[in-house]
Amino acid sequence: MESSQIAAQLYTLRDYLKTPKEVAASLHKVRAIGYEAVQLSGLCKIDESELLSILNGEGLTCNSTHEDDILSNPEGAAERLNKLGCKYTAYPYPAGIKMDSLDDILAFAAQLDKSGKVLRDAGIVLTYHNHHIEFRRFGGRLMLDIIYQETSPEHLQAELDTHWVQAGGCNPVEWCERMSGRLPLLHLKDYGIKSDNTPGFFEVGNGNLDWKKIISAAERSGCKSFIVEQDSCPGDPFDSLKMSLDYLKANICEK
């Protein structure tokens, strides 16, 4: 992994992205920390041309996005991505999707496949961002397995989230391996136990995940972008993003 492949997921900074002015200030900080790329999520409403101007001015690349309307308006999502010159996006979370039966999951997979085709025809790669809920079993099959088995790799790729794979009771290394050829994006998010004895989010390297094995497996599977995200931080989220990047550069990146 090279440092240029590491991106900051802006959802980590969502409380600092509520106006275009805050977006500009936050992206300046992200670049100063040392990130060269970002994944867009959690931003206020901002015109793509203004956002692209800010990114270019800071020397940042938009390597991917999260889009909430992929199922309802894939054409609109594709238009935004193309305006940003961005090839990859992810369906972030199945909000409002019924997931109570195998038939529900099959219907959801069919929707993802349909939208993925629209995006592919527009030159965009759709990925799926998992949480722990996709590790529930239906008829002996994991929901996440069903989603990938019932969709075409041409229409749906993976954006595995390491923390949520672990929280779902599975092994991030094994999942990186099983997504070989279908894993362009990976969310780097550590998993550990907090002082109150409950699971929590940690800076990369501060939790219990084996990052050398995870990154190695992801690289073998063809991963292109390694995206640092932390859903909640103990203090300043900019400090947490810096801690994660510093760890990766010191311990994982090619020297």
Side-chain angles (χ1 to χ4, degrees):
M1 179 178 71
E2 298 180 1
S3 61
S4 60
Q5 293 178 278
I6 305 172
Q9 222 294 10
L10 294 185
Y11 181 77
T12 309
L13 305 173
R14 58 196 178 278
D15 293 335
Y16 299 83
L17 303 170
K18 295 180 179 179
T19 67
K21 185 176 180 179
E22 287 186 354
V23 170
S26 294
L27 289 175
H28 180 74
K29 285 186 176 183
V30 167
R31 186 67 186 95
I33 288 169
Y35 286 93
E36 299 175 47
V38 294
Q39 182 179 57
L40 302 181
S41 179
L43 284 76
C44 65
K45 187 174 181 180
I46 180 171
D47 188 80
E48 289 84 4
S49 61
E50 181 179 3
L51 179 56
L52 191 59
S53 177
I54 295 171
L55 289 167
N56 289 340
E58 295 296 343
L60 285 166
T61 299
C62 170
N63 72 356
S64 54
T65 74
H66 276 195
E67 302 289 337
D68 293 322
D69 61 350
I70 283 169
L71 298 186
S72 61
N73 184 21
E75 295 85 359
E79 183 179 358
R80 284 194 297 277
L81 269 290
N82 282 322
K83 285 181 179 179
L84 291 167
C86 182
K87 182 180 178 181
Y88 294 94
T89 190
Y91 182 79
Y93 184 77
I97 301 294
K98 188 178 180 183
M99 290 183 159
D100 298 326
S101 69
L102 177 59
D103 285 343
D104 291 337
I105 308 309
L106 292 174
F108 177 48
Q111 286 182 288
L112 287 168
D113 195 77
K114 182 179 179 181
S115 289
K117 183 181 186 307
V118 173
L119 289 164
R120 178 175 176 267
D121 290 345
I124 306 298
V125 177
L126 174 62
T127 68
Y128 185 84
H129 173 252
N130 67 276
H131 291 76
H132 65 301
I133 61 173
E134 289 87 359
F135 295 93
R136 180 180 171 188
R137 290 188 179 272
F138 291 84
R141 300 163 68 192
L142 292 174
M143 184 193 302
L144 197 58
D145 273 328
I146 297 170
I147 288 171
Y148 290 123
Q149 290 166 1
E150 300 296 331
T151 54
S152 166
E154 293 184 342
H155 300 159
L156 188 70
Q157 299 271 302
E159 180 187 60
L160 292 178
D161 185 299
T162 55
H163 175 100
W164 291 119
V165 172
Q166 183 72 32
C170 289
N171 186 323
V173 175
E174 292 177 0
W175 266 90
C176 285
E177 292 171 342
R178 71 198 295 174
M179 288 290 101
S180 180
R182 204 173 180 176
L183 183 65
L185 311 177
L186 182 69
H187 267 194
L188 310 187
K189 185 187 303 180
D190 220 331
Y191 180 99
I193 304 302
K194 300 182 294 183
S195 59
D196 63 0
N197 297 319
T198 61
F201 305 100
F202 286 78
E203 293 80 8
V204 176
N206 277 17
N208 297 327
L209 299 186
D210 191 330
W211 289 105
K212 289 186 178 180
K213 288 184 178 179
I214 290 171
I215 299 301
S216 179
E219 288 184 314
R220 292 195 302 272
S221 291
C223 187
K224 296 177 174 63
S225 295
F226 301 86
I227 304 162
V228 175
E229 181 184 32
Q230 197 165 333
D231 296 33
S232 61
C233 303
D236 188 328
F238 292 97
D239 291 341
S240 289
L241 284 178
K242 184 179 187 304
M243 289 171 65
S244 292
L245 182 62
D246 288 348
Y247 172 85
L248 291 168
K249 285 185 174 181
N251 296 279
I252 307 294
C253 289
E254 297 177 3
K255 299 297 189 287

